[in-house]
Amino acid sequence: MNDLTLTIFGGTGDLTYRKLLPALYNLYVSKQVVNIRIVIVGRRAYDHESYCEVIKPWIKQFVRLPYRDQAFQMFCDQLSYYQMDFTDEQAYLPLQAFYQKHQMNHHIFYLAVAPRFFDIIAKGLHHVTNANMGSVVIEKPFGEDLISAKALNKELEAFFTKDRVYHIDHYLGKEMVRNIQAIRFTNPIFSNIWSHEYIEHVQINAMEEVGVENRGSYYDHSGALKDMVQNHLFQILSIIAMEPMNLYTRDEMHARQLQVLKHLRPVSNLNIEDTMVLGQYFDYQKEPSVASDSQTETYAALRLFIDNQRWQDTPFYIRTGKKLDRREMEVIITFKRVMPDVDPNILIIKIQPNEGVYVRFNIKKPGNSEDIVPASMDFCQSCLDINRINTPEAYERLLLAVMQQDSSWFSKWDQIEASWQYVEELKQRYHKENLPIYDYLSYSSGPQAADVLLSKHQHAWQKSS
Ligand code: BG6
């Protein structure tokens, strides 16, 4: 393979420091990536040495593999810091000269910047030879709103080849998200009962302890629905709910996920009050770069339905929020009861912080009793230290996939469009009907109204096992 050049626009941003560079370090140290040159584009006046000093503490803190000074030095030797104002179209001419001087011809461009800059960077790249034969990676949100996202996507696909535009969703790189299909399709004990006939309801919980931290200006325009639901959580929802597919040829995966999104019960047929609860944590309005009268939601709970034969009237509950009492992401499948006084079976796919699978089933109470009591099996994948070292971080997997031109675990535009449209419609109706943004205490489990959303239907948010 020819040497690849990975150029990161936004080289002094949080994403680059926390995720991209540690992932690249891991790939480099584990020798999965050898022929790569990394060009870091940033506005700040660093040179190679000073940039390496800046990133050292981040690498130390966030790498998965053991940090070693010598390895870090070798990794740093792969980096070039290139100072430039990427909003200035003229600045791409010297960038082209730089690439030419270093014989960098095979490109991947990573746009780790706000979506409002995608457009100008794409225009600038017209001045770079062979840029259009390379790949471009973009982070959500893929635009400011659905209309701007559509226009932007059209523009990127007109310049780069369609299948070389990678819409990254880092949840698709997580170990246990990758595991959902294997758990579901290779175990007849689950696959044969994966439908409304046996499943009572599904919950997808994505609780975060952190607040918006230093991302207020981005988050205040986004909110939980755009930040987490329409991308990460709809990806998981569609993997959980999709029709069976062949695990070894993933060609059908996107089409099947899209089918799920297309069968979400139309927003016009929903009682919105019985569908969505939005909340905001106390003191959110005092966060840096957040409007003092902000109505942005930092919490969302949803009750959705997929109107197809498999899922008729099975509720899919989704909740996510910031400043909650724990960091926990899991999918909980509650099966139907077989007898009124017997607990239902439960399957939990634990995504983070622990990775594993929990199953609850029933047994006869040990001893002379004939009572039926619940028992459980709890497989903790992340408890095995060896797995921690062997399991790549989400960004490692996805960066490697881009280098190998494998787009199977990236969002496709039609999925993004369908999710975006659905979530926008939900939000519009919520506001049109003047439903409140409920306050909730920091480090609580969220607004009480979200509990009521379920209790009205004799359900409750499931606590982790
Ligand atoms: C990002 C969101 O996509 O995902 C953040 O923008 C969120 O707001 C983050 O905190 C959660 O990712 P993870 O991997 O920590 O669950």
Side-chain angles (χ1 to χ4, degrees):
M1 190 169 49
N2 289 307
D3 278 12
L4 276 171
T5 302
L6 168 66
T7 302
I8 302 179
F9 289 91
T12 54
D14 220 47
L15 176 68
T16 304
Y17 291 152
R18 271 176 207 271
K19 301 282 190 191
L20 302 182
L21 290 175
L24 287 164
Y25 173 93
N26 290 335
L27 288 171
Y28 183 75
V29 168
S30 60
K31 299 196 170 39
Q32 293 180 77
V33 166
V34 275
N35 299 332
I36 188 135
R37 292 146 84 195
I38 303 166
V39 179
I40 304 287
V41 172
R43 274 189 251 227
R44 292 187 206 167
Y46 294 127
D47 58 13
H48 179 257
E49 274 67 40
S50 55
Y51 186 72
C52 285
E53 279 311 305
V54 168
I55 64 170
K56 196 189 263 185
W58 295 91
I59 299 277
K60 273 189 183 163
Q61 187 180 350
F62 290 106
V63 286
R64 173 176 63 88
L65 299 174
Y67 171 87
R68 302 212 195 294
D69 270 331
Q70 204 188 358
F72 174 74
Q73 210 37 60
M74 284 164 71
F75 171 67
C76 237
D77 290 346
Q78 310 301 309
L79 306 183
S80 310
Y81 184 79
Y82 187 87
Q83 190 189 356
M84 118 182 214
D85 174 2
F86 57 71
T87 62
D88 173 7
E89 203 176 327
Q90 293 312 310
Y92 289 77
L93 297 168
L95 178 65
Q96 155 61 12
F98 172 84
Y99 285 143
Q100 209 165 13
K101 179 171 160 209
H102 296 282
Q103 298 178 347
M104 296 170 166
N105 295 310
H106 300 278
H107 292 288
I108 299 174
F109 301 101
Y110 201 116
L111 311 193
V113 294
R116 64 179 182 282
F117 299 122
F118 293 175
D119 187 34
I120 178 80
I121 295 176
K123 286 204 177 82
L125 291 178
H126 282 71
H127 299 289
V128 171
T129 314
N130 287 344
N132 59 335
M133 292 164 68
S135 304
V136 65
V137 188
I138 56 176
E139 283 275 341
K140 63 100 231 244
F142 302 113
E144 305 289 345
D145 52 27
L146 183 56
I147 295 176
S148 70
K150 267 186 188 167
L152 176 70
N153 191 61
K154 220 166 143 191
E155 194 167 318
L156 287 176
E157 289 189 355
F159 183 60
F160 294 95
T161 316
K162 190 172 171 175
D163 59 6
R164 304 280 297 273
V165 180
Y166 294 86
H167 302 93
I168 206 161
D169 183 319
H170 79 282
Y171 268 57
L172 293 180
K174 289 189 188 274
E175 177 67 18
M176 291 308 289
V177 173
R178 295 279 178 112
N179 219 328
I180 294 173
Q181 291 167 334
I183 294 167
R184 188 182 151 188
F185 297 132
T186 65
N187 297 298
I189 53 166
F190 301 129
S191 56
N192 286 334
I193 54 171
W194 208 262
S195 75
H196 72 100
E197 280 175 78
Y198 299 97
I199 292 180
E200 168 68 25
H201 63 87
V202 176
Q203 291 185 16
I204 302 174
N205 280 332
M207 328 270 285
E208 292 193 272
E209 245 179 308
V210 288
V212 293
E213 301 186 309
N214 54 356
R215 298 165 71 226
S217 64
Y218 149 74
Y219 193 88
D220 208 34
H221 289 104
S222 160
L225 286 170
K226 273 200 203 167
D227 186 53
M228 290 291 289
V229 176
Q230 80 177 22
N231 34 69
H232 307 324
L233 303 186
F234 271 23
Q235 283 287 353
I236 294 176
L237 169 77
S238 56
I239 294 174
I240 292 286
M242 69 196 222
E243 291 304 304
M245 62 160 219
N246 183 340
L247 269 189
Y248 299 102
T249 56
R250 291 195 181 275
D251 309 353
E252 312 135 346
M253 179 168 152
H254 289 112
R256 288 181 190 220
Q257 284 184 275
L258 184 63
Q259 279 312 311
V260 172
L261 299 172
K262 296 247 153 143
H263 281 108
L264 281 168
R265 184 165 296 169
V267 175
S268 54
N269 294 356
L270 294 171
N271 169 351
I272 198 75
E273 211 174 343
D274 202 22
T275 298
M276 188 159 85
V277 166
L278 299 181
Q280 187 185 80
Y281 63 80
F282 279 123
D283 287 344
Y284 168 73
Q285 295 171 349
K286 293 192 190 136
E287 297 278 18
S289 312
V290 165
S292 56
D293 56 352
S294 171
Q295 286 301 298
T296 299
E297 77 286 353
T298 60
Y299 177 99
L302 295 104
R303 179 168 175 269
L304 302 176
F305 292 92
I306 299 159
D307 287 336
N308 62 13
Q309 214 180 347
R310 182 178 294 275
W311 294 116
Q312 307 165 23
D313 292 327
T314 309
F316 282 79
Y317 296 113
I318 293 180
R319 78 173 153 164
T320 184
K322 297 219 176 269
K323 281 259 172 115
L324 295 176
D325 53 3
R326 59 190 185 279
R327 176 172 185 250
E328 192 173 84
M329 162 86 224
E330 45 191 30
V331 176
I332 304 169
I333 318 273
T334 303
F335 293 90
K336 291 191 168 161
R337 286 174 198 269
V338 288
M339 285 184 266
D341 294 333
V342 169
D343 285 350
N345 290 152
I346 288 181
L347 163 69
I348 304 182
I349 301 175
K350 298 182 189 184
I351 296 172
Q352 65 190 25
N354 297 326
E355 294 169 355
V357 180
Y358 168 95
V359 181
R360 191 176 77 186
F361 52 99
N362 293 304
I363 57 166
K364 185 191 83 57
K365 191 171 179 185
N368 287 334
S369 169
E370 288 303 320
D371 290 351
I372 302 295
V373 289
S376 61
M377 290 194 281
D378 200 354
F379 164 62
C380 175
Q381 174 156 307
S382 50
C383 297
L384 312 170
D385 232 22
I386 183 89
N387 280 359
R388 209 161 278 227
I389 292 290
N390 285 340
T391 308
E393 292 290 336
Y395 273 94
E396 270 174 77
R397 278 203 166 109
L398 296 169
L399 282 166
L400 193 60
V402 175
M403 294 172 203
Q404 296 168 342
Q405 295 181 22
D406 171 5
S407 64
S408 36
W409 286 93
F410 287 81
S411 307
K412 289 284 181 288
W413 173 250
D414 45 14
Q415 291 174 309
I416 297 168
E417 190 175 12
S419 324
W420 202 312
Q421 193 154 356
Y422 196 80
V423 168
E424 259 186 16
E425 280 178 34
L426 278 175
K427 202 166 178 170
Q428 274 161 13
R429 271 206 59 203
Y430 195 87
H431 291 309
K432 206 164 147 205
E433 298 193 15
N434 284 323
L435 294 171
I437 307 287
Y438 295 90
D439 290 336
Y440 62 95
L441 287 175
S442 296
Y443 308 114
S444 68
S445 61
Q448 230 188 349
D451 299 337
V452 176
L453 181 72
L454 271 70
S455 60
K456 275 193 281 186
H457 302 279
Q458 290 74 52
H459 293 147
W461 294 107
Q462 202 79 40
K463 271 276 196 186
S464 182
S465 50

